[in-house]
Amino acid sequence: MTLRTSKVVALLLLSVHLLHASALPAASSYGFNAYRMQQYNLHQDKHGCRGAIVVAEARSAADTILTRRYVIMKLPDFTTERYLEAKNQNAAAVLILLPQNLSSVPEDIVQGFMVAESQVLQKETLMPVYVVPEDDQLLYMYEEVSQAAATKSASVLVRVLRSIITATAFQILVSNSSPIKPITDTTIITLEGVLPGAGEDPPTIVITAHYDTFGLAPGLAYGADSNGSGVTILLELVRLFHHLYSDPRNQAPYHLLFSLTGGGKYNFLGTKRWLEENMDHAESSLLHDNVAFVICLDSLGTGDELFLHVSRPPKPGTPQYSFIQQLEQIISARFPWVRFGTVHKKINLQETNVAWEHERYGMKHIPGFTLSHIENPKSELRGSILDTMAQVDIRKLKRNAVIVAESLARFMYNLSDKGSAKDMQVFKGSLDIQDSHLSSLMSMMTSVPRAVQLLDREPGQLLLISSLEQEFKHYLKQVHRHTFHLDRRDPEITFFDQMSQPMMMYRVKPAAFDLFLGGCIAGYLGIVYYAIQLLFRAFVQSDKQISPHLFNSQFGPAEQGPQKTHRI
């Protein structure tokens, strides 16, 4: 064997050894639970993702080739453009990593994600979309695929060497292979309770809020601002006016009817069914009597703006008009930095979507309005998995609770006409609104996700509904729990199961590594075979040259002459 051939064989052996040493164990795996994107049908419109099964290799959103790949995105990566790019390239799925601490995420990234989330949910897609809270293993996978995508800008040789020798591929699959099925037994629960007013047959003021949530993934929709804040203020109003009404001398000439409704994120279906039951079947309902107005509390946990949404401008002299005057006086006297405005939107009976809860009452000719810090009913703030406690400012939540409570008390007790100062505080001392109490109520509301699909079947959600009912029973009278079942033959909304999925992530070398390693082994064996052939030929040639000299040195030169052949 020549010296050059020996060097080639030695280098090849060293390369194979290094490649084999760099390979990760093929059995290395990690299991986690991911939350699937919303899937529902509202009337005839389909929304969300229709797929669930995934078996694909993970890739970064910055990668140029996403076809049949599992696209991994962090919060800043998830934009409408990148989502559509993955969809147009027929990506196998999208996995979004959600930070554990959302309070540290910059506001512009939160707003950008909410906008993309809202737009994605407007239409359906066959591409599965999952969301999972970040952890060390998932972040390691993200960094690896991101580095692999970053090398795409390097030279071809560098990309090939990194892909073959150092890169790690991640294969992700959904463990559950069952088909997606519609949920046919969804129920919507509405709670109601009353504080009876003084006098004979007084008018009724209805105070209501919806308690369910909405977001990209039902299992992560905690809805702190929308509408945990509205429910929190309603429960605080229940406590405050209970203490006022507990003394017969302080009872105002108004019934106070409180209601917590479900299905608010889906055209306020709980409110619709509750109104139908009360208006069409319950003859003794307070809604049949003289209703002064309805206050709907929606998203009041942040912001320095308050908008009063109405279907028609209230006329002077009406109870609704007088209450709005009290609102304006309280804000101007005690909170002049708060911008207050009225937003007028007519009810269009031809539209399939209901913008605000008061519109359900308007369809029944009951005057009402919605109070919210959100001006646009289509705002992305009204339904997002990023709507957590990090989005709520307890000080502003307390301020809005004070504005509603004080304005309502001044209207009900007619304090303005009695000459009371505009900045007079009704709720003080033992009736003061405490930050700690509001925080505990918000913590209760955000303890579990409150998507409609979960509220009637998960233990934590059922416990929350029972806790709200107990709050009503503690302070109110005539507390009722209404359970509405959707029509199985022609449901207004249809949800689908498999809202969360078990997943497995396998760390493996890419296919290029296996091909290259196989080629190296084949080349090595070929060179070994060639080296053996060369050694054999060299040995034969050496034997031919050495044998005659050895024979002559021992026996002398051979005799010349004819050779005879002896037959044996």
Side-chain angles (χ1 to χ4, degrees), residues 46-342:
K46 297 181 179 181
H47 300 266
C49 72
R50 327 302 287 183
I53 298 176
V54 181
V55 179
E57 181 182 332
R59 288 289 178 88
S60 168
D63 211 309
T64 55
I65 301 176
L66 304 177
T67 305
R68 296 190 296 276
R69 298 293 188 269
Y70 204 143
V71 184
I72 313 299
M73 298 183 181
K74 281 181 121 178
L75 219 58
D77 303 328
F78 186 72
T79 62
T80 306
E81 293 74 17
R82 282 191 165 175
Y83 169 80
L84 292 177
E85 178 65 22
K87 186 177 178 181
N88 293 335
Q89 286 199 40
N90 295 320
V94 170
L95 180 66
I96 304 169
L97 305 184
L98 197 65
Q100 295 285 356
N101 183 16
L102 289 173
S103 60
S104 62
V105 180
E107 186 63 27
D108 58 332
I109 293 178
V110 171
Q111 293 297 324
F113 180 89
M114 286 183 173
V115 171
E117 178 184 20
S118 176
Q119 293 175 349
V120 165
L121 284 168
Q122 292 178 6
K123 296 183 179 180
E124 68 168 332
T125 176
L126 294 175
M127 179 180 66
V129 179
Y130 287 95
V131 185
V132 61
E134 291 178 353
D135 60 26
D136 292 340
Q137 291 288 340
L138 295 174
L139 288 174
Y140 173 79
M141 174 186 66
Y142 177 83
E143 294 299 329
E144 283 290 312
V145 298
S146 297
Q147 289 179 13
T151 59
K152 295 297 178 69
S153 59
S155 65
V156 175
L157 179 60
V158 171
R159 284 159 33 199
V160 170
L161 287 176
R162 187 194 184 282
S163 174
I164 291 174
I165 298 177
T166 64
T168 300
F170 294 87
Q171 194 81 7
I172 302 180
L173 61 89
V174 172
S175 304
N176 183 14
S177 59
S178 303
I180 300 173
K181 297 178 182 179
I183 302 173
T184 58
D185 59 346
T186 301
T187 58
I188 296 177
I189 298 172
T190 292
L191 304 174
E192 69 167 271
V194 179
L195 284 176
E200 184 176 348
D201 195 23
T204 300
I205 297 175
V206 181
I207 306 172
T208 183
H210 71 277
Y211 59 82
D212 59 297
T213 59
F214 185 77
L216 189 68
L220 295 171
Y222 290 88
D225 183 32
S226 180
N227 189 33
S229 62
V231 175
T232 295
I233 291 180
L234 183 142
L235 294 176
E236 186 66 2
L237 293 176
V238 167
R239 182 185 72 87
L240 295 175
F241 283 95
H242 162 78
H243 287 299
L244 282 180
Y245 274 45
S246 59
D247 187 345
R249 294 171 299 177
N250 293 333
Q251 283 185 336
Y254 289 95
H255 291 311
L256 289 179
L257 174 59
F258 296 90
S259 72
L260 290 174
T261 60
K265 301 301 183 181
Y266 303 94
N267 284 340
F268 302 95
L269 287 178
T271 305
K272 176 186 176 184
R273 296 291 297 273
W274 181 66
L275 283 171
E276 290 173 350
E277 183 174 285
N278 277 273
M279 301 288 290
D280 301 337
H281 305 291
E283 296 298 329
S284 60
S285 170
L286 292 176
L287 296 179
H288 277 285
D289 302 327
N290 179 23
V291 177
F293 52 81
V294 180
I295 306 173
C296 304
L297 305 174
D298 192 330
S299 305
L300 293 164
T302 186
D304 286 326
E305 302 86 17
L306 273 180
F307 297 100
L308 195 78
H309 298 270
V310 296
S311 299
R312 61 178 63 182
K315 297 180 180 179
T318 62
Q320 192 177 8
Y321 185 86
S322 300
F323 175 76
I324 296 175
Q325 284 185 317
Q326 299 301 326
L327 272 175
E328 293 174 337
Q329 289 179 8
I330 291 293
I331 292 173
S332 62
R334 297 180 57 181
F335 309 100
W337 62 87
V338 175
R339 182 168 69 93
F340 180 74
T342 301

Side-chain angles (χ1 to χ4, degrees), residues 77 255 317 346 414 480 511:
D77 303 328
H255 291 311
K346 292 183 178 180
N414 198 21
H480 298 287

